[in-house]
Amino acid sequence: MNDTPYAQMRLNRAQQRYLGLYGQPVRHGLAAEDPLARVECARSLLPFFHARLETGGSDQFGALFGYREGTSLKIEHALPAGYGPRPLFDMDASYLLGASDAFQQCHPDIDWTGIWLMRPDSCLPHQREIEDMLEEAKATRLLAEELCLMWVGWRDAQLVCLPYVLSEPGGVAVPLGCNIGYAAE
């Protein structure tokens, strides 16, 4: 008699992190031996990132939402970390939970897939800063299994995204190739 809604509860990543609920985590039919190799950002993210890069002045960050297809992480949506200024890596749990629920109503495979970051000067960080942030994100579990950390910034007057994922749960952070503006099928 396990046909109650709670017995079949499917948890998205935000629910697992911020609510501590028990249930079967959402899995999208991916074999553990298929590591992520690439991030593809939807063209619709360009205006969002451009607007954020133009404001500058403070560290900015927020949530990425998308789905996995083979060895690619397809990012469809990006949001700020919540309303108003927030300390770095302090995600507004209610905001993230509501966004996760809303996106999953539109597309059941979409889930919280990571965090985007921008420096106050809108440029990409140096390697040492990247390493420090990766360690901090790993310590706060914002860089975890199937969650990427992606810097967004200007390089030679081009918008560039630098995503990182863990090589394995608890492993080392590795960079992935990234394409922004892919033609969604």
Side-chain angles (χ1 to χ4, degrees):
M1 292 285 192
N2 259 350
D3 55 359
T4 66
Y6 297 109
Q8 298 173 16
M9 181 182 282
R10 312 265 307 156
L11 299 177
N12 63 41
R13 288 186 189 99
Q15 291 167 334
Q16 292 172 50
R17 180 180 176 95
Y18 291 106
L19 297 180
L21 295 176
Y22 295 97
Q24 183 178 358
V26 173
R27 288 285 183 220
H28 305 293
L30 303 167
E33 63 272 3
D34 295 337
L36 285 172
R38 180 157 199 73
V39 171
E40 297 181 8
C41 296
R43 184 176 306 279
S44 61
L45 296 178
L46 287 168
F48 174 83
F49 287 141
H50 275 169
R52 296 255 174 226
L53 287 167
E54 293 301 319
T55 60
S58 64
D59 286 312
Q60 298 181 68
F61 71 105
L64 299 168
F65 293 88
Y67 59 95
R68 188 168 171 175
E69 187 175 273
T71 59
S72 290
L73 181 60
K74 305 240 181 183
I75 298 174
E76 298 292 327
H77 305 283
L79 294 174
Y83 293 110
R86 305 194 65 79
L88 192 59
F89 293 141
D90 179 20
M91 299 290 291
D92 180 330
S94 295
Y95 186 82
L96 184 62
L97 286 162
S100 293
D101 290 346
F103 288 135
Q104 284 186 330
Q105 291 297 314
C106 300
H107 191 293
D109 288 337
I110 287 186
D111 202 352
W112 174 34
T113 56
I115 303 292
W116 60 267
L117 292 166
M118 288 181 187
R119 292 181 45 176
D121 63 5
S122 299
C123 295
L124 292 172
H126 299 287
Q127 191 59 38
R128 181 66 190 153
E129 185 179 351
I130 289 173
E131 291 168 9
D132 290 345
M133 288 292 198
L134 290 170
E135 285 304 312
E136 186 176 342
K138 194 172 158 185
T140 59
R141 300 213 18 92
L142 287 173
L143 179 62
E145 185 180 4
E146 305 238 354
L147 282 176
C148 78
L149 188 66
M150 184 171 78
W151 275 269
V152 181
W154 297 118
R155 179 188 289 155
D156 301 324
Q158 296 288 325
L159 187 147
V160 175
C161 299
L162 298 175
Y164 284 78
V165 295
L166 293 180
S167 58
E168 58 189 50
V172 232
V174 294
L176 297 181
C178 185
N179 178 24
I180 188 158
Y182 73 95
E185 298 172 29

